[in-house]
């Protein structure tokens, strides 16, 4: 997924708000993950301390990233695995392809991986005549629908069960066309059956990685379905694709972050399967892959180090920020136009594809601050969105009218007397326009607001005037 | 084997590392890791550990059972190893499961007196037709009711994932409070920095919420996870656990 529709965010958002089916799906998000997260955290008194510890581990790791990556690499090699450093998406795709070709692979199974989405791996491999099957149920559903994920941990959150049934009937041939597929259970059982055939036929299994552990040369996946485990165990070759910042120093450090990951994501105490994979199968082992490869992808991350966006590299992709974001909750993930939606996407996407392309995203925020409040890694997401807005302004990317408006306001704000005079007049004028309804339905230059909702009218005086009156009354 | 150097030109390795060093404000080229990095890797410190798991061992056993049951595993405590085969048989009958069982080729499991039951047993990797597996565990963690399973020639990994019903035998002496204790045991058992091909934490059976956020058990892994917790105080087991 290299092409973005992020420049069209405003139109995407508008369409999403008018999409009844999507709005029904997003309604489920308003409870679900959020309530479960709250309940899980209430059970763990040390949660805030764990957040601090998790943040500190990642900060320490990022400050020593070269050392931990080379230690990780050395330990992968010592255990019989391979590490491939890839500067960008193209190099990562070519490296995966080369591994597949060397094994004369026909079929590739995929565990869920956002990096794979980032580098557009499926479409690329399919063009090379490889059969690619997503094994995570949500990813499988959207693969059949030929669309990108709309959420980083629940990729098919925008899809209804009736739509899943339609996709299954269209794809799973040779079955009774009138078979019941009304309930999630029936859909899951069919997917499980279909997927079993794929598992036993796979040549190469590709998974992502939630962590890379420097101490042992281990990659870790966190899953609930068990699909990732079957993908990486039944295939001849296991490829783990991970970006640089996934590395942590030790098993203990991974465990600390694991304690905040599932709780923040799905509200589980721990996901069903947390799998630590180190090297290929050992000589005496009866199963497991013959080869183990790690793709270490940079794709713009090393250039976030040393900038105001370095903290974003602490992100563990739990999705708590989007689960709690009023903007994401209103427009869903596809409107963001690239791989990573929600607040974390609004910060990360401009770093990876450029603020010229994704400049709308940091503006898609009400600055309510909920994302930072729930982020287990304490990433100051709103602050970073403001940094992007500054960059956007510096690069003259916003509309000319907005630029002029902000410059005019900045000049006014530096002339206190004039500012007070002008705002005093404005407050009185707006009160008059508001009339008895105390709301304004149309206002020149403010149609962006008033087209959609009324502007509450001020009650006639500025804050400074009210303050002065109140102080005078106190003295009297 | 694929030659890694032919795949990943060293130019990308040095370019990526070069950018990292430059942006961290360091000198170019490889440098020795600072002492805090070396120390952290050699003697991994324990970070914050929840008080929940740091309780007397008999309470840890109760917590382990409660937490495992909370995530849809079933747990049965038995008095000694002799009771394991009977419990496997009982569980399968109760859940209307086939009396055909694939065992981990591990002495603590295959060494049990399976002839006492009518179960048909075999051992080795799991295949597409195996519906029930019985495996040992390396440890259990009370904090979240998680089982710790290591792959090895005696414990093929597919047994954990392919069968519909996964039965795990764990001994009371193997239950600890926290993950950190497991890593200490792992280092004692195989040496520092050494891991098996897969070290799996299992917390309940396979599940998904991918269709309209409704929880369904048995996505691609086991539909049922049954834990037999053996009270092994004062018992010599038939093999070395794990």
């Amino acid at each position: 997924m290299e092409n973005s529709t992020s420049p069209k965010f405003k139109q995407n958002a508008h369409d999403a708000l008018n999409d009844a089916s999507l709005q029904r799906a997003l309604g489920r998000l308003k409870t679900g993950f959020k309530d479960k997260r709250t309940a899980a955290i209430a059970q763990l008194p040390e949660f805030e301390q764990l957040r601090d510890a998790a943040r500190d581990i990642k900060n320490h790791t990022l400050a020593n990233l070269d050392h931990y990556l080379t230690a990780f690499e050395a330990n992968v090699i010592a255990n019989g695995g391979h590490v491939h450093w890839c500067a960008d998406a193209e190099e990562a795709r070519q490296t995966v392809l080369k591994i597949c070709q060397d094994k004369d692979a026909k079929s590739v199974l995929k565990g869920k991986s956002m990096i794979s989405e980032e580098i557009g791996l499926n479409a690329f491999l399919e063009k090379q005549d490889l059969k690619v099957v997503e094994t995570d149920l949500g990813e499988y559903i959207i693969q059949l629908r030929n669309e990108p994920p709309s959420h980083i941990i629940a990729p098919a959150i925008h899809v209804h069960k009736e739509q899943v049934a339609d996709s299954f009937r269209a794809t799973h041939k040779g079955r009774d066309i009138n078979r019941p597929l009304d309930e999630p259970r029936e859909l899951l059982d069919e997917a499980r059956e279909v997927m079993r055939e794929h598992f036993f036929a796979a040549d190469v299994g590709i998974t992502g990685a939630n962590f890379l552990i420097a101490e042992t040369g281990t990659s870790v996946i966190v899953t609930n379905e068990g699909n990732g485990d079957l993908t990486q165990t039944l295939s001849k070759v296991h490829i783990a694709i991970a970006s640089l910042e996934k590395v942590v120093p030790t098993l203990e450090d991974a465990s600390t972050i694991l304690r905040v990951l599932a709780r923040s994501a799905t509200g589980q105490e721990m996901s069903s399967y947390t799998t630590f994979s180190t090297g290929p199968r050992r000589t005496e082992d009866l199963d497991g892959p013959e080869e183990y490869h790690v793709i270490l992808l940079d794709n713009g991350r090393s250039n976030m180090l040393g900038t105001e966006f370095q903290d974003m590299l602490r992100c563990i992709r739990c999705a708590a920020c989007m689960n709690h974001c009023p903007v994401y909750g209103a427009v869903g993930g596809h409107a963001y136009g690239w791989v990573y939606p929600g607040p974390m996407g609004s910060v990360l996407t401009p770093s990876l594809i450029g603020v010229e392309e994704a400049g709308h995203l940091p503006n898609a925020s009400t600055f309510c601050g909920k994302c930072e409040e729930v982020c287990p890694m304490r990433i100051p997401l709103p602050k970073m969105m403001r940094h992007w807005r500054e960059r956007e302004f510096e690069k003259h990317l916003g509309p000319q009218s907005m630029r002029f408006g902000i410059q005019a306001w900045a000049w006014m704000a530096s002339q206190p007397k004039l500012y007070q005079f002008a705002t005093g007049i404005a407050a009185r004028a707006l009160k008059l326009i508001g009339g008895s309804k105390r709301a304004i339905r149309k206002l020149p230059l403010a149609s962006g607001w008033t087209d959609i909702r009324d502007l509450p009218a001020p009650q006639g005086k500025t804050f400074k005037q009210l303050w002065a009156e109140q102080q005078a009354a106190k003295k009297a | 084997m694929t030659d890694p150097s032919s795949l990943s030109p060293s130019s990308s390795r040095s370019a990526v590392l070069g950018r990292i060093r430059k942006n961290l404000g360091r000198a170019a080229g490889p440098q020795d890791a600072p002492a805090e990095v070396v120390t952290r890797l050699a003697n991994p410190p324990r970070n914050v550990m929840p008080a929940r798991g740091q309780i007397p061992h008999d309470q840890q056993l109760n917590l382990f059972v409660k937490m495992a049951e909370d995530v849809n595993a079933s747990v049965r405590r038995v008095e000694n190893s002799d009771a394991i085969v009977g419990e496997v048989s009982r569980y399968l009958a109760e859940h209307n499961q086939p009396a055909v069982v694939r065992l981990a080729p591990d002495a603590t499991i295959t060494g049990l007196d399976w002839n006492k039951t009518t179960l048909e047993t075999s051992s080795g990797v799991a295949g597409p037709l195996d519906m029930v597996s019985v495996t040992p565990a390396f440890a259990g963690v009370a904090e979240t009711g998680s089982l710790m399973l290591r792959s090895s020639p005696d414990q093929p990994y597919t047994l954990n994932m392919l069968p519909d019903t996964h039965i795990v035998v764990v001994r009371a002496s193997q239950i600890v409070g926290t993950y950190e204790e497991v890593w200490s045991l792992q280092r004692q058992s195989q040496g520092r920095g050494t891991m098996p091909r897969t070290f799996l934490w299992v917390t309940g059976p396979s599940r998904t919420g991918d269709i309209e956020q409704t929880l369904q058990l048995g996505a691609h892994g086991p539909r049922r996870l049954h834990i037999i917790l053996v009270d092994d105080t004062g018992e010599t087991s038939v093999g070395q656990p794990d």
Side-chain angles (χ1 to χ4, degrees), chain A residues 355-375:
Chain A
V355 68
E356 297 80 2
E357 183 85 1
H360 283 314
L361 305 187
N363 291 298
S365 167
T366 65
F367 284 110
C368 71
K370 193 72 186 171
C371 51
E372 181 174 0
E373 192 184 318
V374 298
C375 175

Side-chain angles (χ1 to χ4, degrees), chain A residues 430 434 438-443 446 449-450 453-458:
Chain A
L430 289 173
R438 303 176 117 191
I440 299 162
R441 303 197 60 178
K442 267 197 180 336
L443 195 67
W449 179 288
T450 55
R453 50 215 177 304
D454 291 347
L455 177 73

Side-chain angles (χ1 to χ4, degrees), chain B residues 111-204:
Chain B
L112 299 169
D113 189 6
W114 294 96
N115 292 328
K116 277 200 306 197
T117 68
T118 56
L119 296 171
E120 188 187 311
T121 62
S122 61
S123 71
V125 298
L129 301 176
D130 290 311
M131 297 296 283
V132 181
S133 64
V134 179
T135 73
F138 175 63
V141 178
E143 182 178 343
T144 45
S146 305
L147 291 161
M148 305 279 131
L149 309 177
R150 303 195 302 192
S151 68
S152 71
D154 297 339
Q155 287 159 55
Y157 193 72
T158 42
L159 292 171
N160 306 328
M161 285 293 160
L162 280 173
D164 271 19
T165 303
H166 183 201
I167 300 176
V168 180
V169 177
V170 63
R171 290 160 206 285
S173 59
Q174 294 177 303
I175 304 292
V176 297
T178 62
Y179 313 122
E180 284 76 359
E181 291 162 81
V182 173
W183 297 135
S184 296
L185 291 170
Q186 166 62 19
R187 292 186 184 107
Q188 280 167 30
S189 144
Q190 296 191 320
R192 267 179 201 292
T194 304
M195 290 282 274
R197 153 63 197 169
T198 38
F199 195 114
L200 173 68
W201 300 5
V202 175
T203 312

